[in-house]
Amino acid sequence: MFAEPRSPWPRWIERQLVRRGISDERVLRAFAAVPREAFVDPRYRALAYDDGPLPIGCHQTISQPYVVALSLAALRLTGAERALDVGTGSGYQAVLLSHLAREVFTIEVQQKLYFEARLVVPRFQLAPVQLRLGDGSLGWPEAAPFDAIVVGARAPKLPPSLMEQLAPGGRMVIPIGGEAGQALCLVTKSASGQVQQKVLERVSYVPLIGKQGTGESAE
Ligand code: SAH
């Protein structure tokens, strides 16, 4: 028997991400650099490196690491981008983005989560992260266009505002579909403005509320 070659990555990253095909070194390095345990409710800290979503309050969840990694890898970030993260939640994905892009804008609709994220995000961000409380289904028009957009909640269809705010040559990852399950879609806009859509994976996200989401408003 030959011993397996030692992985340069922490065990959970090797198991959950590398073995499932995530190979973007910058993405893997970001996951190794950002402690997920700092973004979960202290009650669930022992489960922080398990292979699944976890509750973060307000009936919301921090997404499964693999799905976050798949989304971030699909954006093919080089470090030069302005990126928009819709649905800050715990702030974990926004912080990972700040290790991969030049500037991050993140927007959350639930006040409690927004205030909590404002405390934790600056502790772990690399590039600057701007946080906003509001309806992210409408994007962040004043900061647009974005080279990359990642949406952490499911939309019934592609929100037109996000499409408009995606720069030519830009990439967006967004779960599209209803309660029963969604397609995690990669949407690309060519330099001439042509849009293409590809399904990356079947997923199960919490709903994107707001005007261009499900139409519901925050409690
Ligand atoms: N990416 C987050 C997890 C997101 S869960 C993380 O890393 O923890 C989805 C988040 O989207 C929830 O916090 C939810 O409140 C938020 N959300 C839902 N609809 C929204 C909207 N219209 N605008 C902004 N945030 C929204």
Side-chain angles (χ1 to χ4, degrees):
M1 273 279 288
F2 292 103
E4 265 187 61
R6 261 181 75 84
S7 163
W9 306 109
R11 221 154 72 158
W12 74 278
I13 293 181
E14 172 67 27
R15 277 205 190 133
Q16 297 178 37
L17 310 184
V18 177
R19 289 196 196 160
R20 288 193 185 128
I22 306 292
S23 58
D24 183 322
E25 286 252 347
R26 294 184 72 244
V27 170
L28 295 170
R29 242 184 283 140
F31 273 86
V34 181
R36 191 170 184 254
E37 75 218 32
F39 296 84
V40 305
D41 188 306
R43 273 175 296 177
Y44 298 103
R45 209 149 273 170
L47 306 176
Y49 300 100
D50 281 8
D51 187 17
L54 287 172
I56 56 171
C58 300
H59 307 291
Q60 307 301 323
T61 53
I62 181 171
S63 309
Q64 181 194 20
Y66 168 66
V67 175
V68 177
L70 188 66
S71 304
L72 295 176
L75 295 174
R76 295 212 190 131
L77 299 165
T78 65
E81 298 81 5
R82 284 161 68 80
L84 175 68
D85 172 59
V86 177
T88 314
S90 68
Y92 182 59
Q93 182 164 276
V95 165
L96 288 167
L97 258 182
S98 80
H99 287 244
L100 298 166
R102 178 167 56 89
E103 197 173 7
V104 178
F105 298 83
T106 181
I107 183 160
E108 170 58 51
V109 76
Q110 301 286 353
Q111 203 167 4
K112 179 173 177 284
L113 297 176
Y114 163 76
F115 283 115
E116 284 171 4
R118 275 206 353 193
L119 296 178
V120 67
V121 166
R123 291 176 52 206
F124 300 103
Q125 72 186 45
L126 192 59
V129 180
Q130 318 271 356
L131 293 99
R132 175 186 267 193
L133 175 64
D135 180 3
S137 74
L138 302 174
W140 190 324
E142 302 84 350
F146 301 100
D147 308 300
I149 299 180
V150 58
V151 183
R154 66 171 151 88
K157 60 184 178 56
L158 266 181
S161 296
L162 297 184
M163 279 313 300
E164 258 165 50
Q165 292 172 34
L166 188 63
R171 300 165 81 82
M172 164 157 62
V173 175
I174 177 169
I176 302 276
E179 211 173 328
Q182 308 98 45
L184 186 65
C185 296
L186 169 66
V187 182
T188 51
K189 197 189 253 188
S190 73
S192 60
Q194 258 193 337
V195 172
Q196 280 194 338
Q197 201 169 321
K198 177 181 146 186
V199 175
L200 301 173
E201 187 75 271
R202 294 297 303 174
V203 289
S204 180
Y205 272 83
V206 297
L208 180 75
I209 64 171
K211 285 219 173 79
Q212 293 182 16
T214 61
E216 288 165 76
S217 48
E219 287 156 24

